[in-house]
Amino acid sequence: MENSDLIFKYNTAATTNIQLKKRQCVVKCRAQQVTATSLMNIVKSLNGILKKYIQVRPIIEIDLSNSIMSDKLVYILLENICYALIKKMGLQVRLKLYEHDMIQASGFKYSPLHLLSREQPINENCEDFVSYYSRNLNTNLAHYRRIVSKNEQENSDIFCTIMTDVRAFLKRYYGDVQRIKEIAEIVVELCGNAWEHSQSDCLIDLDVANDFQKKDKSDNYLYGCINIVILNLSEEKIGDGLKRKILTSDQLENRYQVVREAYEFHSRYFNEHYREDTFWGISAFQDKISGRLDNSKTGGTGLPRMVRSIEKGFEGLCCYCCSGNSVILFRPETLEYNDEGWIGFNQSKNFKTDVPMDRVVWHNEFFLPGTGFNLAFIFKRDEVIA
């Protein structure tokens, strides 16, 4: 997947307390869960090593032996960090991992990161990791991973193939045909949008967790979770095209004029948590809103509407979007359209003169160049524990 090195371009802070011992530098994660904050701390340490010891070209060991992955997008981003170190910078990387199984990060067991933790020569591990990571398609009964190149996406047939693949994969684990169809449509739409706005590769990574119980064991059912990541790495954040279109156009169609008026209102309330980039992000999810200069009447992603619809068929869900420093959480109760077809990302359903809820948008220190979606749909299995 191209552009993995952009993570280092846009996250430049560095720590200076990493020591070199026997041509090796160890980066230790002390958090119990690896989150975006943890990734930022890891990248800071790596930047410090690259600045201080680049001439030595040390072996880099990332120690995650006491940490679990908080969700799928986190470990997918870690894969990209390791790929940039190995492939783009020519360094050797070793990982220490904690084997665990969490319902929203169950697919971690299939991650190529495990190739970097094997008790084999480090050069072989790195070569095997790069080989696996670079393949356009990796799939088995429990894991579907596809890199859709920017050249492939010019062929509309690829999206039909992805639709068919995703539906066939999910049917093995989940029986609601309508929900499967809607999830496959989400995957195809987000992949298509990623290409349209960034003209870059798009990663689709999908797994299904099975046979989990509730932590409090309040019932005797087993639960599963459909975990999906859609990721593209590029210079373009979600909403960048729309921002250019709105702020540079002298004449705007009706709905775009509403966005401009909303911007004038929201800008009074920008703060450390709700920033301008986040406003353009939530604007990009509005119905019939597009950042394309050649299209002023249609556009927007149907993700909020789909999430709202799909929610009725699942026990729970956790869906969010990361782009730049912005995080937007798709809480079903904040995704209702008002009579004019606007989503407020708040309880008032008011986009134009009300800001999103605090727990729906926030600012990350870690900068994701491009856009990443983490989608988790929890479902109840038919089986009952005896």
Side-chain angles (χ1 to χ4, degrees), residues 149-150 153-154 159 190-200:
S149 72
K150 60 183 178 182
Q153 293 178 70
E154 294 176 359
F159 297 111
L190 293 181
C191 184
N193 274 311
W195 172 77
E196 185 176 283
H197 296 296
S198 69
Q199 301 288 302
S200 64

Side-chain angles (χ1 to χ4, degrees), residues 169-180:
F169 179 85
L170 292 178
K171 283 179 182 177
R172 301 171 189 157
Y173 300 96
Y174 185 61
D176 191 324
V177 175
Q178 180 58 30
R179 295 290 174 261
I180 288 173

